[in-house]
Amino acid sequence: MKQKFLFLAFIVFSLSAFSASNSENEKRIVELQQKVRSLNSELGTLRSIVSSLNKKVVDMQVIQDTFKTQLHSTNDEVSMVKNDLSQKATELGDSIGTTYGKVNQTSQDLNSRSLLGVIGLLCALIIAGLVYLLLKKKINSGQTAIDSIREAQKKLNEESVKLDNQLIEIMNKQLDIQKESAKTAPSSSNGANTVDHSLALKVADEIVRIELNLSRMDPSVKGHKQLSKAAERIKNNFLAQGYEIVDMLGRPYNEGMKVVASFVSDENLKEGEQIITGITKPQVNYNGEMIQAAQITVSQNI
């Protein structure tokens, strides 16, 4: 009788333990499902923010291009003014030399009128001084306009750097979320073929755009160094997830490259030389295999 009682107690204890374990597993599954829903919600919010920031970046680039056009126009006008002033200064110098000659001749020929000659010389010198001051003021005014445009361009670059830093933070979060989602997602027999590369390719395009802007920007711009380091960190994060951005900028071009290339002439290069000077879309490899071909600009002297 005692043995039967112990056997029944063992069966009851085993059923209780199994029930508790099953309940704990169900609870964990519910928590994981809630976490996935939360991550999906945050990903949607981040995508919306990225879209808004991309629009702002495009707007800033349009403004920057406008400032560059105005700066080139102002530089051309200043060059014209300087050339004009230089010609007038030469003519004025010739006129003063002629005046000096006439005054000296008059002084020699008309001793009785030497006082008038001196007065005429002084008047000529005074007029020459006034003209010089007016011309100098005009040149300084043109230089001030150039300095104002350069200051505006510097502020525009600083704002662009600030936006790019924010964009990099968002892209890092998105990559981390994608990494977590990949861990919790069910495995597939198709392997790498089921990986969604759309976010990675978008991040790669933005990284190349940011690095190209940094290469054309004065390193003294506020935030330049911070943005360079942030771009390097996200590239390392990118590489850790199996993605590689192939660095082509500044390298020689050859016909065997699997790229989409557009060509521009550059007489400053050596004859026959072809150099990659612009990247619209970078070449991206995933686990050693190319998933996006590069779109590049090649400068050549052929």
Side-chain angles (χ1 to χ4, degrees):
M1 183 68 179
K2 185 179 180 180
Q3 291 179 348
K4 289 182 178 180
F5 178 79
L6 291 174
F7 179 74
L8 289 174
F10 174 77
I11 291 174
V12 171
F13 176 78
S14 298
L15 289 174
S16 298
F18 176 78
S19 177
S21 176
N22 189 40
S23 176
E24 182 66 25
N25 287 335
E26 288 178 352
K27 183 179 179 181
R28 186 176 180 185
I29 289 171
V30 170
E31 288 177 352
L32 287 174
Q33 288 175 343
Q34 290 176 348
K35 184 175 181 182
V36 169
R37 284 195 294 270
S38 176
L39 287 173
N40 286 336
S41 176
E42 185 177 352
L43 179 60
T45 302
L46 289 174
R47 283 176 176 169
S48 177
I49 294 173
V50 168
S51 177
S52 176
L53 286 174
N54 283 339
K55 186 176 182 300
K56 289 183 180 180
V57 169
V58 171
D59 293 341
M60 294 299 294
Q61 287 177 338
V62 171
I63 295 173
Q64 185 176 5
D65 291 340
T66 302
F67 271 113
K68 285 182 179 179
T69 301
Q70 292 178 352
L71 179 61
H72 289 318
S73 177
T74 303
N75 284 335
D76 293 340
E77 291 179 2
V78 170
S79 297
M80 292 175 62
V81 170
K82 286 184 177 179
N83 292 335
D84 185 47
L85 294 180
S86 176
Q87 183 179 355
K88 289 183 178 179
T90 302
E91 293 175 355
L92 181 60
D94 294 340
S95 177
I96 292 174
T98 302
T99 302
Y100 272 118
K102 289 182 180 179
V103 169
N104 289 333
Q105 184 65 35
T106 301
S107 178
Q108 292 174 2
D109 295 342
L110 302 171
N111 291 329
S112 60
R113 298 182 180 180
S114 59
L115 181 60
L116 293 176
V118 172
I119 293 173
L121 176 61
L122 290 175
C123 289
L125 291 175
I126 290 172
I127 292 172
L130 290 174
V131 171
Y132 172 77
L133 290 175
L134 289 173
L135 293 177
K136 184 177 180 181
K137 184 177 180 181
K138 192 171 183 180
I139 291 174
N140 289 337
S141 176
Q143 187 63 42
T144 301
I146 293 175
D147 291 339
S148 298
I149 292 175
R150 285 176 177 169
E151 183 64 22
Q153 186 177 11
K154 182 179 179 181
K155 290 181 179 179
L156 185 63
N157 286 337
E158 290 176 356
E159 189 64 24
S160 177
V161 167
K162 188 185 299 183
L163 287 173
D164 283 339
N165 269 313
Q166 294 175 0
L167 181 60
I168 283 180
E169 290 180 7
I170 292 172
M171 290 190 298
N172 263 322
K173 288 183 179 180
Q174 285 186 306
L175 288 174
D176 290 338
I177 290 172
Q178 180 174 277
K179 187 177 181 180
E180 289 295 327
S181 298
K183 288 180 179 179
T184 58
S187 60
S188 172
S189 60
N190 292 332
N193 293 330
T194 63
V195 177
D196 181 8
H197 299 299
S198 58
L199 174 61
L201 295 179
K202 179 64 176 176
V203 172
D205 291 348
E206 291 299 328
I207 290 173
V208 169
R209 178 189 64 78
I210 290 171
E211 288 185 332
L212 188 60
N213 286 344
L214 286 172
S215 69
R216 296 172 178 173
M217 198 180 295
D218 190 339
S220 65
V221 172
K222 184 178 179 181
H224 185 282
K225 186 175 181 180
Q226 179 185 359
L227 182 58
S228 298
K229 291 182 178 179
E232 188 64 29
R233 284 196 301 271
I234 196 172
K235 285 180 71 175
N236 291 335
N237 188 3
F238 207 59
L239 190 60
Q241 297 189 36
Y243 295 96
E244 177 190 11
I245 301 174
V246 180
D247 185 15
M248 295 183 174
L249 192 64
R251 296 188 176 183
Y253 169 80
N254 62 72
E255 297 294 336
M257 289 182 170
K258 295 180 180 179
V259 297
V260 178
S262 58
F263 300 86
V264 295
S265 297
D266 187 352
E267 295 181 356
N268 294 322
L269 297 176
K270 296 178 181 178
E271 187 174 353
E273 190 174 21
Q274 293 178 305
I275 300 294
I276 300 172
T277 55
I279 299 178
T280 305
K281 283 184 176 294
Q283 178 180 329
V284 180
N285 297 338
Y286 179 71
N287 291 335
E289 294 184 6
M290 185 173 71
I291 59 174
Q292 175 175 277
Q295 296 180 15
I296 62 175
T297 301
V298 179
S299 297
Q300 60 182 5
N301 185 9
I302 296 178

